[in-house]
């Protein structure tokens, strides 16, 4: 049974609003031509409203429902204390434009998180402002561009992007007004040094590196690539999407990364919220730290007990504001809580467990599906979702069949350089027993693929809906609900 | 304190299965000289300890809770019905990811579809996307979209000087790598002036109503004038005002944007908020951001999917309409619940409360010796007051002596306006609070 659209539950005259009565003498309204005549919003009672959204929630798979091995998304468990932290009224019910002396607690929290992220990344400083990973990328590329221009170097227009990169990398480069040039990976999944060589010239603005890369592999050439790019006058952007493998294992700046975003919704356990809001703070080394967006929290040198020890300031050569205010503060509170509870040892232990879990699962699945890069992986690995003896089966079929086994599928068809890719990231918060169960589900699906491929082609059968017609959705666009022209027949 | 389930014994078993002697062995690809650095972070805390630390930090803030707050300027203290947090706390919503697998994400997808419907109705537009980060980035993305509609042949964008100054800064940051020229000075003071500044090299005109200073603009004839030049009209609105005021769609707007913070999201010290974004159907393929569409499954049952993905970064890569790959999912849910809870009559009621109380406050302040109201009185919930002393000093006294958070000191965004205060009044400011503000302003002016 399908859940009605909220408008279909609407009955004229109902309301779930409980608002105060007008308590001031009425003033004349604006002239009639400035007033609206109708307002087509739903009219529902509070119980109807609650049940509607509870029923909708039950159509979702979530981390709290089960394992969510979505590669490159780091769907780890979201600790509940983080949620309580982000609802503390004295932190959250503060207006962003209040004077700094009335928001000292929030500024101290932001300063503490800025410092921690800089320390984890090995950077000189960080800005919490970027709203998401993609915005963090745009931030970093704008910073690299601004740095070259400040040196009078306007020829450098090329940003190199490995073919394994997230699609956001080339899109962010274009938005920053620079030109993305793709370079290929070698047969071990590293940046191909031969492909890099011809681009090491005075057109080169920088390179965007994801390390571990989207194959889940630590790039064995990373230091060499950074050195060559720096020698050619370029800078290195680090896509921090995969930092969950590296906390306390290596500081990205020490590999040669000049600027990097952190995905707090991945690495620092803030919930993904059904697609957002996340947070994409950016850390920068000495060369770029003054170009960070802002304002950022700074600690004023002065006496202990000074009334306003923290304030907000724009970095000296800031690229500007990436959004209104200072970042996704409620997300920052959750990440701060996580960082403070784990500390250095807990963060390192989490990265170690993430990598251990991924390698264990990779070992369990070796031989079940083709493993194109059979190396020690980091926090994730990529299988090919195809079988020589089950020719009609594609990665999509395997993904959909996993739903019938009670799992969220892995990322599929990404990275683009692996055919029929299934990108699996178990995260550190899954138990050995859960990994064993997931592996046996995939083994069982591989068997079904050979014996009863229709089970896969028809999957899912147990999800709230069957496979959906995406072509029709794009062709006959229906992007909002329309009231039926005739009353429905009962 | 970690969230790791593995026991030591299980680790040993897992390492044996992998075929390595230790966890450290798994990191051999990391150059040895930089492997296992010292991380200087504060010592770990238990759950009660971190909560105590956070409450102690909170005690160093002045929260709007239980205080009278008259500060707005793009983030306003509106009421959030209890039901909003109860629904957004459902972990099936908040621990899910972007609905890449529609069969097991129908909850999130239908919420977005309902949100798109409500935003389209509220703004009077054909279609809405699944949201941008906030009102400021929605503005920046609307300028990029206008470039796309003009196919890159019109490099100017005229922004009314009364558009939120922070939003204009964000637009400049976004567009610094492009050839787009933002014109937001020297283009006059009325909507007619700004429309006249639109020429055949201009892709769009952006106006805000109610504007940054709270004034309601009369936009009759503006869309026609802008369209006659072949440009788009982009209107930035306060969604609460649309409970009372004519929707921009009815005035001929091509794109309508704004910040959805007032729609059940709360102040949150600046974020996360919600950038809503709606446009005419003819431009939908140039719109950036996620969009959810209705379709059917193989059994003909209604369902929802992310659609128009060929505009997006993971397909189009460097040629995408934007790099955005998420929306403000959970805040979209909050806004959908808020708009459903208030509904037709409730949103009108909130808008009316804001309008009436703001006008009551403005008249009372205008009557005080030394204070005067700026403008002709056509405003919604915010208004500018000329004060007899610098606002910075006035606000300090309001807080210290009367427990009132005063309005915005306009000199923080505009040079030379040290004595101008932007006051915001909402349904959260009952008459007694307004009377207290008026009495306090009279007292500090003595």
């Amino acid at each position: 049974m399908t859940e009605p659209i909220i408008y279909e539950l609407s009955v004229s005259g109902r309301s779930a609003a409980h608002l105060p009565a007008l308590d001031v003498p009425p003033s004349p309204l604006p002239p009639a031509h400035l007033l609206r005549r109708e307002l087509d919003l739903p009219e529902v009672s509070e119980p109807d409203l609650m049940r509607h959204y509870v029923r909708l929630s039950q159509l979702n798979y979530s981390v709290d429902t089960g394992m969510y091995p979505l590669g490159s998304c780091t769907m780890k468990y979201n600790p509940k204390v983080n949620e309580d932290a982000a609802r503390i009224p004295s932190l959250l019910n503060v207006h962003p434009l209040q004077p700094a002396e009335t928001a000292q607690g929030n500024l101290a929290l932001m300063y503490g998180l800025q410092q921690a992220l800089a320390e984890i990344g090995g950077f000189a400083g960080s800005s919490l402002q970027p709203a998401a990973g993609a915005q963090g990328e745009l931030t970093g590329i704008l910073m690299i561009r601004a740095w070259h221009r400040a040196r009078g170097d306007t020829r450098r227009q090329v940003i190199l992007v490995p073919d394994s990169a997230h699609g956001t990398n080339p899109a962010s480069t274009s938005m920053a007004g620079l030109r993305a040039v793709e370079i290929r990976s070698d047969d071990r999944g590293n940046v191909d040094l031969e492909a890099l060589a011809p681009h090491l010239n005075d057109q080169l603005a920088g390179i965007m590196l994801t390390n571990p890369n989207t194959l889940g592999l630590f790039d064995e050439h990373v230091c060499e690539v950074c050195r060559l790019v720096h020698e050619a006058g370029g800078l290195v952007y680090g896509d921090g999407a995969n930092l969950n493998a590296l906390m306390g294992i290596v500081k990205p700046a020490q590999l040669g990364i000049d600027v990097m975003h952190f995905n707090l919704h991945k690495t620092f356990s803030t919930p993904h919220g059904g697609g957002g809001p996340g947070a994409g703070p950016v850390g920068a080394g000495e060369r770029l730290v003054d170009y960070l967006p802002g304002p950022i929290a700074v600690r004023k040198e002065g006496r202990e007990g000074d009334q306003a020890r923290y304030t907000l300031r724009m970095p000296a050569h800031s690229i500007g504001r990436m959004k209104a205010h200072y970042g996704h503060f409620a997300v920052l509170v959750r990440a701060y809580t996580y960082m403070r509870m784990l500390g250095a040892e807990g963060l390192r232990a989490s990265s170690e467990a993430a990598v251990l879990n991924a390698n264990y699962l990779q070992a369990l699945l070796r031989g079940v599906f083709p493993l194109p890069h059979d190396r020690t992986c980091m926090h994730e690995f990529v299988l090919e979702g195809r079988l020589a003896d089950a020719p009609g089966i594609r990665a999509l079929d395997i993904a959909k069949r996993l739903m019938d086994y009670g799992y969220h599928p892995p990322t599929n068809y990404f990275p683009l350089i692996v055919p029929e890719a299934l990108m699996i990231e178990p995260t550190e918060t899954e138990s050995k027993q859960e990994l064993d169960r997931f592996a046996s589900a995939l083994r069982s699906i591989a068997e079904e693929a050979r014996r009863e491929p229709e089970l896969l082609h028809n999957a899912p059968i147990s999800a709230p809906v069957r496979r959906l017609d995406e072509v029709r959705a794009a062709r006959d666009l229906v992007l909002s609900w329309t009231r039926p022209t005739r009353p429905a027949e009962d | 304190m970690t969230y790791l389930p593995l026991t030591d014994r299980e680790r040993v078993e897992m390492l044996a299965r992998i075929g390595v002697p230790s966890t450290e062995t798994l990191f051999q690809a990391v150059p040895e000289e930089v492997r296992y650095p010292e991380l200087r972070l504060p010592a770990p805390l238990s759950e009660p300890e971190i909560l105590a630390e956070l409450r102690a930090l909170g005690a160093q803030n002045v929260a709007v809770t239980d205080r009278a707050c008259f500060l707005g300027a793009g983030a306003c203290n509106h009421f959030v019905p209890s039901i909003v947090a109860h629904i957004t706390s459902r972990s099936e919503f908040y621990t899910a990811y972007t609905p890449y697998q529609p069969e097991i994400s129908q909850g999130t997808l239908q919420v977005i579809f309902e949100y798109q419907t409500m935003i389209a109705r509220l703004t009077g537009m054909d279609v809405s996307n699944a949201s941008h980060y906030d009102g400021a980035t929605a503005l920046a993305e609307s300028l990029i979209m206008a470039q796309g509609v003009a196919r890159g042949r019109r490099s100017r964008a005229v922004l009314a000087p009364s558009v939120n100054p922070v939003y204009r800064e964000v637009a400049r940051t976004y567009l610094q790598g492009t050839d787009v020229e933002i014109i937001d000075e020297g283009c006059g003071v009325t909507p007619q002036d700004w429309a006249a500044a639109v020429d055949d090299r201009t892709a769009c005109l952006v106006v805000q109503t109610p504007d940054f200073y709270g004034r309601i603009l009369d936009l009759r004839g503006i869309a026609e004038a802008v369209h006659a030049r072949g440009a788009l009209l982009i209107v930035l609105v306060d969604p609460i005002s649309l409970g009372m005021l004519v929707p921009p769609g009815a005035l001929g707007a091509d794109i309508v944007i704004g910040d959805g913070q007032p729609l059940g999201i709360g102040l949150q010290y600046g974020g996360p908020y919600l950038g809503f974004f709606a446009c005419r159907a003819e431009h939908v393929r140039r719109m950036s951001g996620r969009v959810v569409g209705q379709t059917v499954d193989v059994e003909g049952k209604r369902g929802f999917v992310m659609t128009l993905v060929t505009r997006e970064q993971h397909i189009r890569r460097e040629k995408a309409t934007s790099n955005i790959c998420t929306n403000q999912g959970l805040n979209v849910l909050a806004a959908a619940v808020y708009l459903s809870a208030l509904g037709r009559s409730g949103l009108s009621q909130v808008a009316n409360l804001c309008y009436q109380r703001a006008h009551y406050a403005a008249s009372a302040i205008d009557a005080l010796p030394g204070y005067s109201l700026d403008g002709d009185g056509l405003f919604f919930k915010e208004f500018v007051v000329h004060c007899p002393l610098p606002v910075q000093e006035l606000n300090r006294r309001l807080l210290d002596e009367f427990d009132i958070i005063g309005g915005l000191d306009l000199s923080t965004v505009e040079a030379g306006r040290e004595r101008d205060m932007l006051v915001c009044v909402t349904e959260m400011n009952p008459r007694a609070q307004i009377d207290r503000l008026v009495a306090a302003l009279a007292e500090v002016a003595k």
Side-chain angles (χ1 to χ4, degrees):
Chain A
M1 182 185 134
T2 47
E3 175 63 21
I5 303 292
I6 186 82
Y7 279 89
E8 294 168 342
L9 297 169
S10 186
V11 174
S12 182
R14 272 191 196 147
S15 173
H18 316 286
L19 295 161
L22 189 61
D23 55 357
V24 297
S27 302
L29 292 178
H33 68 85
L34 292 173
L35 299 178
R36 86 179 294 156
R37 291 196 198 89
E38 50 70 45
L39 178 57
D40 185 13
L41 288 177
E43 297 178 274
V44 292
S45 68
E46 186 171 323
D48 283 349
L49 183 61
M50 191 70 201
R51 286 176 183 163
H52 172 66
Y53 284 109
V54 168
R55 286 194 299 261
L56 283 183
S57 77
Q58 291 166 340
L59 302 180
N60 267 7
Y61 191 92
S62 68
V63 171
D64 284 357
T65 316
M67 181 172 164
Y68 212 126
L70 197 62
S72 126
C73 298
T74 313
M75 299 298 287
K76 61 170 79 174
Y77 177 71
N78 308 128
K80 299 308 155 196
V81 64
N82 295 357
E83 299 306 304
D84 287 351
R87 286 177 179 81
I88 294 175
S90 57
L91 295 174
L92 276 296
N93 289 355
V94 177
H95 193 291
L97 299 178
Q98 284 179 213
E101 60 269 23
T102 67
Q104 286 296 295
N106 286 352
L107 292 173
L109 186 151
M110 286 170 54
Y111 183 80
L113 185 58
Q114 282 171 200
Q115 295 295 102
L117 294 178
E119 173 67 11
I120 291 163
F123 296 114
S126 72
S127 168
L128 304 175
Q129 192 175 52
Q135 211 194 31
E137 290 176 21
L138 176 60
T139 299
I141 299 304
L142 288 173
M143 288 166 67
I144 288 174
R145 180 180 175 277
W147 184 81
H148 286 305
R149 292 177 78 82
R151 295 152 55 90
D153 191 347
T154 53
R155 289 163 308 175
R156 296 183 180 271
Q157 298 288 320
V158 170
I159 294 284
L160 300 177
V161 180
D163 56 7
S164 58
H166 296 109
T168 48
N169 285 187
S172 299
T173 300
S174 296
M175 277 179 90
L178 299 182
R179 192 158 58 86
V181 173
E182 187 173 284
I183 53 168
R184 67 172 185 266
S185 306
D186 68 15
D187 55 10
R188 283 182 63 76
N190 300 315
V191 171
D192 189 324
L193 295 176
E194 275 180 34
L196 177 68
H199 300 291
L200 299 169
N201 55 40
D202 63 3
Q203 309 290 306
L204 181 65
I207 188 168
M208 298 183 86
L209 288 180
T210 306
N211 187 43
N213 63 22
T214 56
L215 296 164
L217 303 174
F218 192 93
D219 195 306
E220 295 160 314
H221 300 154
V222 61
C223 293
E224 179 72 355
V225 170
C226 292
R227 188 180 64 78
L228 290 169
V229 168
H230 285 146
E231 280 177 9
L235 295 179
V236 181
Y237 183 80
D239 182 325
N242 294 342
L243 186 68
N244 205 44
L246 299 183
M247 290 185 293
I249 307 297
V250 62
K251 295 182 176 183
Q254 294 185 348
L255 298 170
I257 307 287
D258 296 294
V259 52
M260 184 185 88
H261 78 261
F262 299 80
N263 295 91
L264 299 187
H265 45 287
K266 298 179 182 176
T267 320
F268 291 82
S269 85
T270 75
H272 284 72
V282 166
E286 291 295 346
R287 267 184 282 209
L288 290 177
V289 69
D290 288 338
Y291 292 84
L292 284 168
I296 61 174
V298 292
R299 185 158 65 184
K300 291 198 274 189
E301 296 307 323
R303 299 179 305 276
E304 285 288 321
D306 192 345
Q307 281 291 304
R309 299 189 54 228
Y310 296 92
T311 189
L312 288 158
R313 192 176 295 159
M314 287 303 276
H317 307 297
S318 177
I319 55 162
R321 293 172 185 263
M322 290 302 295
K323 65 183 291 302
H325 313 304
Y326 329 115
H328 283 168
F329 182 75
V331 178
L332 306 178
V333 172
R334 292 173 172 94
Y336 179 84
T337 303
Y338 183 74
M339 180 275 293
R340 290 289 284 119
M341 283 190 67
L342 268 66
E345 281 315 303
L347 293 174
R348 180 176 295 132
S350 296
S351 283
E352 286 184 335
V355 171
L356 177 62
N357 271 359
N359 277 283
Y360 176 67
L361 192 54
Q362 181 176 255
L364 295 181
L365 292 172
R366 183 178 287 118
V368 179
F369 288 100
L371 180 61
H373 297 274
D374 193 355
R375 276 169 54 183
T376 298
C377 67
M378 290 286 107
H379 63 305
E380 64 191 357
F381 58 95
V382 180
L383 297 175
E384 288 178 12
R386 56 181 180 178
L387 295 164
D389 48 357
I393 294 299
R394 306 186 62 213
L396 185 72
D397 303 313
I398 296 162
K400 300 299 183 195
R401 184 61 177 156
L402 267 169
M403 296 176 189
D404 290 330
Y405 282 80
Y407 288 103
H408 193 285
T411 299
N412 47 61
Y413 299 97
F414 185 82
L416 307 175
I417 55 176
V418 174
E420 302 295 322
L422 287 174
M423 184 188 199
I424 300 174
E425 179 180 10
T427 85
E428 71 277 17
T429 53
E430 295 305 326
S431 66
K432 177 176 176 294
Q433 292 74 22
E434 193 61 60
L435 301 178
D436 289 339
R437 279 193 291 270
F438 180 72
S440 64
L442 272 177
R443 266 193 296 271
S444 165
I445 290 170
E447 273 311 300
E448 289 173 351
R450 295 183 184 96
R451 290 184 189 161
E452 285 181 273
E454 286 312 299
L455 284 175
L456 278 71
H457 291 309
N458 292 331
I461 52 168
S462 59
V465 290
R466 304 282 303 276
R467 285 196 206 186
L468 290 150
D469 189 345
E470 302 192 19
V471 174
R472 170 175 163 157
R475 189 191 56 216
D476 309 330
L477 278 183
V478 180
L479 305 182
S480 61
W481 181 80
T482 39
R483 190 165 275 104
T485 44
R486 282 178 303 169
E489 287 173 36
D490 287 333
Chain B
M1 303 293 154
T2 65
Y3 299 94
L4 306 177
L6 299 183
T7 64
D8 288 344
R9 186 185 165 148
E10 286 168 339
R11 279 173 216 276
V12 171
E13 288 168 14
M14 292 164 74
L15 289 166
R17 177 67 195 236
I18 298 165
V20 294
S22 66
T23 308
E24 293 82 70
T25 321
L26 300 173
F27 293 102
Q28 272 176 343
V30 179
E32 196 174 356
E33 61 276 16
V34 291
R35 206 187 298 157
Y36 288 114
E38 184 200 356
L39 286 190
R40 285 162 302 169
L41 295 178
L45 299 177
S46 67
E47 219 170 278
E49 287 166 332
I50 181 65
L51 288 172
E53 181 186 304
L54 291 167
R55 285 193 202 98
L57 285 171
Q60 297 171 40
N61 291 331
V62 173
V64 304
T65 327
D66 307 322
R67 282 191 178 82
C69 174
F70 295 95
L71 185 53
C76 300
N77 187 29
H78 285 287
F79 181 67
V80 180
S82 295
I83 193 170
V84 174
H86 281 271
I87 291 172
T88 57
S89 300
R90 295 281 306 186
S91 68
E92 299 93 328
F93 282 129
Y94 81 77
T95 75
Y97 191 42
T98 300
Y100 287 124
Q101 298 291 340
E103 296 87 351
I104 50 174
S105 310
Q106 285 298 302
T108 294
L109 287 160
Q110 186 167 331
V111 165
I112 296 172
F113 184 80
E114 293 182 354
Y115 162 88
Q116 288 174 182
T117 305
M118 287 186 244
I119 292 295
R121 299 292 204 279
L122 189 63
T123 56
M125 302 301 285
D126 300 323
V127 294
S128 157
N129 72 9
S131 77
H132 282 286
Y133 306 129
D134 66 5
T137 65
L139 170 62
E141 293 275 5
S142 74
L143 299 180
I144 295 170
M145 175 170 160
Q147 289 295 312
V149 171
R151 297 195 163 75
R153 289 196 283 261
R154 292 165 174 257
S155 61
R156 296 167 91 238
V158 177
L159 275 61
S162 60
V163 169
N164 187 324
V166 169
Y167 288 23
R168 285 184 278 135
E169 269 188 71
V170 172
R172 284 205 160 80
T173 308
Y174 259 64
L175 295 171
Q176 63 189 270
T178 70
D179 299 329
V180 179
E181 183 192 357
I182 293 178
I183 293 140
D184 60 353
E185 283 176 344
C187 50
V189 291
T190 67
Q192 288 69 30
D193 296 340
W194 308 324
V198 171
D199 60 17
D200 58 10
R201 292 173 300 139
T202 304
C204 59
L205 167 66
V206 183
V207 297
Q208 179 177 353
T209 184
D211 71 10
F212 179 68
Y213 307 99
R215 298 172 298 204
I216 300 169
L217 305 185
D218 184 350
L219 295 176
R220 282 179 297 176
I222 299 305
E224 291 78 357
V226 170
H227 292 158
R229 296 283 187 172
L232 301 185
L233 176 64
I234 300 171
V235 181
L236 173 63
V237 285
D238 170 358
I240 298 293
S241 75
L242 296 180
M244 172 181 280
L245 301 176
V246 63
L251 297 165
D254 299 284
I255 303 174
V256 180
I257 52 174
D259 200 304
Q261 177 271 332
L263 304 177
I265 291 168
L267 290 170
Q268 308 201 105
Y269 199 52
Y273 292 167
L274 167 70
F276 62 85
F277 196 116
C279 74
R280 299 206 171 280
E282 65 193 280
H283 301 309
V284 67
R285 284 166 207 279
R286 300 232 172 238
M287 179 167 66
S288 59
R290 293 257 137 109
V291 179
V292 168
Q294 182 180 311
T295 187
V296 292
D297 74 1
V298 293
E299 292 172 349
K301 191 165 150 184
R302 179 168 72 188
F304 302 92
V305 293
M306 292 197 295
T307 192
L308 296 178
V309 291
T310 50
R311 304 161 300 130
E312 292 199 59
Q313 46 77 30
H314 61 287
I315 309 281
R316 291 272 282 169
R317 296 178 79 85
E318 73 276 6
K319 294 189 182 68
T321 49
S322 170
N323 69 343
I324 194 162
C325 64
T326 51
N327 65 335
Q328 296 290 87
L330 205 62
N331 287 351
V332 162
L333 176 63
V337 175
Y338 178 88
L339 287 171
S340 306
L342 265 65
R344 187 190 299 264
S345 61
L347 192 69
S348 305
Q349 208 182 332
V350 169
N352 194 50
L353 278 166
C354 291
Y355 179 88
Q356 295 295 351
R357 285 175 171 174
H359 282 256
Y360 171 76
S363 305
I365 295 169
D366 193 40
L368 293 175
Y371 294 89
S372 64
L373 194 62
D374 185 68
D376 59 3
L378 190 58
F379 61 88
F380 178 59
K381 70 182 184 195
E382 291 183 272
F383 53 89
V384 174
V385 176
H386 303 302
C387 303
L389 65 168
V391 176
Q392 190 179 11
E393 184 186 334
L394 203 151
N395 272 343
R396 192 177 40 74
R397 292 192 58 194
L398 284 180
L399 184 62
D400 291 350
E401 298 167 30
F402 302 93
D403 222 14
I404 291 171
I405 297 169
L408 184 74
D409 172 359
L410 274 181
S411 72
T412 59
V413 291
E414 233 180 308
R417 301 197 69 172
E418 283 73 16
R419 289 175 184 237
D420 287 346
M421 182 194 280
L422 178 62
V423 178
C424 176
V425 183
T426 72
E427 77 283 10
M428 298 294 274
N429 305 113
R431 179 176 182 163
Q433 267 190 13
I434 297 168
D435 292 344
R436 209 150 61 74
L437 171 70
V438 174
L441 288 172
E443 181 65 27
V444 296
K446 275 183 189 164

